Amino acid sequence: MVRYLIIAFLFFSVALPAESPETGDNPVPSDTEPNPEQPNSNRYSDSVLPSGGTPILGFYDGRITYSSMIGPSLSAPSGSYINAEKQYDDYLRARVYTGEITSDPFGFPARYYNANYQVKGIVLIELEAAFSEHFGAGAGLFTSSIKTRRQELLPFTDSNGNRILDYPDRRTAYSEGGLMGFVSYHPISRNAVDPYLKVRTGITFASGYAHQYVLQDPYVYDNRMSNARGIVYGGSLGLNFYLSPELGLNLELTSLGRTLNADQFSSRTLTTNYATIGFTVFLQSR
């Protein structure tokens, strides 16, 4: 009889839940249940979900980004630099019509072909740092060029002493590389869609060809620009569309003006307009 009582006692001791040693009626807390004495504990403390704040999209104070853009021209180049070259083209055409310019040493009549000027686009790389929720500043490098198809006088004359005109030649009439700084305004912050406005200014260094005078100097046989440089200024209207906190697509409309000087001229202007596409990459937060 005693043996059966001992067996029954052991059975009920194992089956009953554990009791608190202090009160005798509270179960031992589980590791997965919240403990009120530990404010940071919760039932998901052992979860495999990632911890940390929600990633921020868009433009915000302290954000530093790198952008790279490339795109074509939206219009023909303009300004006094282009006007001076077109005036020289008109001078050649008039001399061809009057027979003062020939096509070979034997004095055969020359033929004039209309000149054209085509901007070959622009490449931009930039760094930008936000110093508030809506304003930023940065700097970048750029390069662009203008291609032409036009005629030029050869450095010798025909049997009658007239200048000789060559056939149309394709060449890079203007090429530049420069540095620009900018201030930007972003009306919408912390959003995947980030429109902005930039005001730009900087310096540019150029190479190419330019005629010092409208009337051709018979003793000048090389029209390459030397020591060409100037200031560049303009603005951009753009849109960043962020695919993630680290990467965004970039669309931008840019207009740039230049005031140039060189050994061949004291001051000439040049204006071009571009549409670019590129990407923006998050670097760090200050």
Side-chain angles (χ1 to χ4, degrees), residues 57-59 63 65 128 186 191-194 240-249 280-282:
L57 289 173
F59 184 89
R63 183 179 175 90
T65 56
E128 180 180 11
H186 300 251
N191 194 289
V193 179
D194 173 30
N240 288 317
F241 181 76
Y242 288 96
L243 306 176
S244 71
E246 295 80 20
L247 180 64
L249 296 178
T280 298
V281 178
F282 169 78

Side-chain angles (χ1 to χ4, degrees), residues 208-220:
Y209 296 85
H211 294 87
Q212 188 172 5
Y213 309 105
V214 174
L215 299 179
Q216 174 66 20
D217 188 335
Y219 301 102
V220 175

